[in-house]
Amino acid sequence: MRLQTIAVHSGVDKDKSYNSVITPIYQTSTFRFEDIGTTKGYDYTRTSNPTRKALEENIAALEGGLSAKAVATGMAASTVALHFLRAGDHVICTNDCYGGTERLLRTYGDMFGFQLSYVNMADLQAVRSAIRENTKGFWIETPSNPLLNIVDIRALASLAHEHHALAFVDNTFLTPYNQRPFELGADIIIHSTTKYLNGHSDVVGGAVVVNQPALADRLHTIVNTLGVGQSPFDSWLVLRGIKTLIPRMKAHEENARGVAEFLSRHSGVQRVYYPGLPSHPGYEIAKRQQRGFGGMVSFEAKGGIEKINSILRSTKIFALAESLGGIESLICHPATMTHASMNPELREKAGINERVIRLSVGIEDQDDLIEDLDHALNA
Ligand SMILES: *Cc1c(COP(=O)(O)O)cnc(C)c1O
């Protein structure tokens, strides 16, 4: 089956009692045993639940993985992924990663003695120089947030494997429709399903996907032990959202491209970050390793912070909010919002200055979006 058919059909048809076409919400904490030691496959919802399982089958199939776990949030997914490592391991992380990921790594680093190196992963030589004896994980996020830098997953995964390290890829921004990390050598894929996979800004969720049997066993143990599995209701919402993933991704991209081209032509704009523009430094790699360029666009406006604040306050359709990947357009100021928790020195070094504005381009009418931005830029 091709991807859009998988998105619609995988993980449904679960109801053998009444043949409901849509997977029911099994809103139960526990399951009656058939007899001592015999269940119908489920005993307790922390361990497994049929609605969550349906979502997990769907996400695993979309990523071409062996096994997926749906968890409470994207950060829960990253937390689960970190448990594939041990205290004292060294992790190399992309230097402009999601702010919450940096905070998680820092917190775990302090608590459990992880060693961390943040490097510009577009520079393979810099990654090579950062490798230590105890390097056990490469934390890859591409395109990065919010600057949409592109790194070469295949090259990094093979470098990780040369050193017996795991290649983690956060595939939140592109989704399995636009980027296939396992085909490029990734070992563990992380998602914030809060974003495009659910796509409707009405749930928080996460997923971890693996494609090796040993990792699948460990993944199940970690999620069950930590108790971070997603609730049946939230799992059902994400499963519903995924059915329209591909038409949504196409609409997001068409609008994002229009917005990026509009911003590139606007005299009030200093710089546009969109990997689908040939001027973007990651354009060639993006073209090679991605099916599409996604729906996120960042830019720097000309002028001081007053101008930036004026733009952020002036849009009417783009709502000033964190998060991304929903059908509605959002505008965000990474330095004071999504990346406020990031170590300021690291933030500056990664180029996330206070003039950067990030857009999550929704699926509204493109002309309305462009007019909204034009009005805000000229306000
Ligand atoms: C939002 C996000 C996360 C964290 O996900 P939550 O669902 O907010 O916990 C992790 N990685 C990326 C790239 C994100 O955009």
Side-chain angles (χ1 to χ4, degrees), residues 72-76 78 98 101 141 143 145 170 172-173 190-195 204-206 323-324 358:
T73 63
M75 288 317 302
S78 299
Y98 178 69
T101 300
E141 199 181 306
N145 180 10
D170 185 328
T172 298
F173 268 42
I190 298 146
H191 278 286
S192 168
T193 57
T194 310
K195 317 294 169 54
V204 288
S323 198
L324 59 107
R358 188 189 80 180

Side-chain angles (χ1 to χ4, degrees), residues 209-283:
V209 198
V210 295
N211 65 348
Q212 297 154 40
L215 296 182
D217 288 347
R218 181 130 178 83
L219 176 61
H220 179 76
T221 304
I222 295 166
V223 172
N224 187 36
T225 303
L226 292 178
V228 291
Q230 188 155 42
S231 76
F233 182 62
D234 287 355
S235 298
W236 183 84
L237 281 173
V238 177
L239 185 60
R240 181 167 79 152
I242 284 178
K243 293 187 171 82
T244 56
L245 171 71
I246 293 166
R248 280 188 285 107
M249 291 313 288
K250 289 176 180 167
H252 281 297
E253 175 154 350
E254 190 184 328
N255 279 351
R257 177 180 297 280
V259 162
E261 284 167 1
F262 159 77
L263 290 171
S264 312
R265 289 190 304 268
H266 200 286
S267 59
V269 171
Q270 179 81 36
R271 186 165 174 193
V272 180
Y273 300 88
Y274 185 63
L277 296 176
S279 58
H280 188 282
Y283 176 70

Side-chain angles (χ1 to χ4, degrees), residues 19 26 44 54 84 90 124 133 143 159 187 210 275 280 301 343 370 379:
N19 293 353
Y26 288 92
Y44 187 55
F84 282 91
H90 174 238
L124 286 178
E133 192 92 338
L159 194 55
D187 299 296
V210 295
H280 188 282
N343 172 336
I370 288 175

